[in-house]
Amino acid sequence: MTRDRLAFEPRVAAASLSGASDAAWAKAAIPHVGAAFLGGLAVDESTREAAREMVQTRDREEFLPADPFAFADQQLDMLADAPLVAGVNVRSSSLAPLERIAEICADRGAICEINAHCRQAEMCETGAGQALLSDPDRLAEQVEAAAQAGPNVSVKVRTEVDGLDLPAIARQVETAGADMIHVDAMDSEGVVAQIVAATDLFVIANNGVRDRETVREYLAYGADAVSVGRPSDRPAVLTRVREATEAWFEADETATGEATQ
């Protein structure tokens, strides 16, 4: 199954934080994580302009290199020998730049993660980020374009958009070629179980992952892994999450083995 093929160990990912999630950040999370998503990286002119506006008006950090493609290639090269699966979280309102980043990811054995998550108005006005959830056909088009370039494709989504049918969107992006879905569950953790039931996507659950209780809640809903966002630079948090995740899957393997005896 797809989710088995994509499993990483430990089943903890460091999640992208715009302007902070680079190769050095990912390396610092070793050995607590099995995957790290760099970014978010705006790759076409409209999303780059939105990122510039967000820096000016919201005092945000953003990656704004002169050449985002060279930047992605350089950052992934720095992780070539790192014992983790790398990914790049990408914001784009057009297909050609997304395809170019996807090719870089494919060449580096990295995951191309399409950002359908960023909720800042400046980014949504370009048609990228969370705006893609309101236009799942465009989201599926982005997934198909990225998948055709050859990498494993993830889609990062959020749950609190009014009227959103995330399981249906998950099925659509899976049909378009996605391998993973990275779910920011907010206060709708049960959506994770609905997506697990609806698809064969590898499901990474995110939001509030800090300790044993939060890890167990998401994994009990069927998530294949969890991710840590804001405290991803705090070793104490990462240690707790890794230990809880490893304990969960060790117990699950033990129970499965006993049931087959």
Side-chain angles (χ1 to χ4, degrees), residues 5-6 25 29 62 69 72 78 125 133 136 146 162 169 171 182 184 193-194 207 246 249:
R5 175 175 62 83
L6 294 168
W25 159 86
E62 288 286 337
F69 309 104
M78 292 171 64
E125 286 170 3
L133 296 179
D162 290 341
I169 292 172
R171 287 192 295 271
H182 193 168
D184 186 344
Q194 295 173 22
N207 194 272
E246 289 176 336
F249 284 107

Side-chain angles (χ1 to χ4, degrees), residues 46-80:
S46 62
T47 56
R48 283 169 60 78
E49 178 57 31
R52 286 189 284 268
E53 291 178 14
M54 284 159 24
V55 168
Q56 294 171 359
T57 62
R58 298 178 183 270
D59 196 28
R60 283 174 57 96
E61 289 185 88
E62 288 286 337
F63 290 123
L64 286 167
D67 184 340
F69 309 104
F71 177 78
D73 193 47
Q74 173 201 51
Q75 294 295 307
L76 290 175
D77 186 53
M78 292 171 64
L79 294 173

Side-chain angles (χ1 to χ4, degrees), residues 150-179:
N152 289 324
V153 176
S154 173
V155 181
K156 189 167 187 184
V157 301
R158 61 190 322 128
T159 62
E160 83 274 34
V161 182
D162 290 341
L164 193 66
D165 186 347
L166 264 185
I169 292 172
R171 287 192 295 271
Q172 187 168 354
V173 300
E174 181 179 30
T175 300
D179 305 283

Side-chain angles (χ1 to χ4, degrees), residues 3-52:
R3 51 176 38 125
D4 295 329
R5 175 175 62 83
L6 294 168
F8 46 80
E9 298 295 339
R11 300 280 191 101
V12 180
S16 57
L17 301 169
S18 295
S21 305
D22 58 7
W25 159 86
K27 286 184 175 181
I30 300 169
H32 306 294
V33 303
F37 291 91
L38 313 184
L41 185 63
V43 296
D44 64 353
E45 188 48 43
S46 62
T47 56
R48 283 169 60 78
E49 178 57 31
R52 286 189 284 268

Side-chain angles (χ1 to χ4, degrees), residues 191-261:
V191 172
V192 171
Q194 295 173 22
I195 292 172
V196 169
T199 73
D200 285 327
L201 293 168
F202 187 93
V203 179
I204 305 173
N206 170 265
N207 194 272
V209 176
R210 302 288 188 273
D211 50 28
R212 180 177 182 273
E213 288 72 23
T214 51
V215 167
R216 290 175 66 85
E217 179 178 22
Y218 284 123
L219 297 181
Y221 280 124
D224 299 288
V226 295
S227 73
V228 180
R230 294 188 184 279
S232 56
D233 58 355
R234 292 165 53 188
V237 173
L238 292 177
T239 298
R240 290 198 301 268
V241 171
R242 185 200 75 235
E243 290 176 348
T245 304
E246 289 176 336
W248 174 276
F249 284 107
E250 286 171 3
D252 185 57
E253 288 176 3
T254 300
T256 300
E258 291 175 349
T260 58
Q261 290 178 359

